Amino acid sequence: MSILNYMVDDSIPLDKVFRALGDPTRLRMVEDLAGGERTIGDLAKPAAMTLAGASKHVGVLEEAGLLVREKRGRERVCQLQADTLEAARAWTEHYANFWNERLDALGKALEEDGDE
């Protein structure tokens, strides 16, 4: 299961999700959104950035399917898309299980080798 071939849905490759989450500012924004809807201004405050700067980060997260943006009056409200995070979690869990099995087999082989 290559990350390059794994899709969150028909339009979002999983590598795009991990690239978006690889930036500390965007990761903090996702953490903030886990607490509920936030405006772009709310997301900008902790990083002391301009609305334009925050909007660029929000755009990357939106492109990766991690949030949706909605215009409400004069504000843009962002909401986390948990399904996309679930797809990333499932992919990492697959590899965690893979490596746990390999390490268990290695441990067993080392024990058997030590018994000889």
Side-chain angles (χ1 to χ4, degrees):
M1 178 189 315
S2 169
I3 191 169
L4 299 175
N5 298 325
Y6 193 85
M7 303 289 277
V8 173
D9 61 25
D10 291 338
S11 63
I12 302 170
L14 191 56
D15 62 324
K16 187 178 263 192
V17 174
F18 284 116
R19 268 195 309 271
L21 293 173
D23 180 88
T25 299
R26 291 191 291 269
L27 190 57
R28 183 201 40 79
M29 287 178 168
V30 168
E31 290 172 353
D32 288 349
L33 289 167
E37 295 179 343
R38 302 282 190 271
T39 65
I40 292 180
D42 294 336
L43 294 172
K45 282 179 190 172
M49 66 174 52
T50 65
L51 287 177
S55 188
K56 286 182 182 181
H57 284 292
V58 166
V60 172
L61 292 169
E62 188 174 36
E63 225 177 273
L66 289 161
L67 64 79
V68 291
R69 198 176 354 188
E70 178 184 330
K71 187 172 182 177
R72 293 187 192 158
R74 294 177 8 158
E75 293 185 319
R76 301 269 183 195
V77 178
C78 302
Q79 183 177 27
L80 185 64
Q81 290 295 103
D83 292 350
T84 303
L85 286 175
E86 175 57 27
R89 187 209 54 78
W91 186 87
T92 56
E93 185 176 316
H94 168 78
Y95 280 98
N97 292 336
F98 171 83
W99 285 111
N100 284 334
E101 289 172 12
R102 297 301 184 276
L103 291 171
D104 289 346
L106 176 61
K108 186 176 178 180
L110 290 172
E111 282 178 15
E112 291 171 0
D113 191 42
D115 292 340
E116 293 177 8

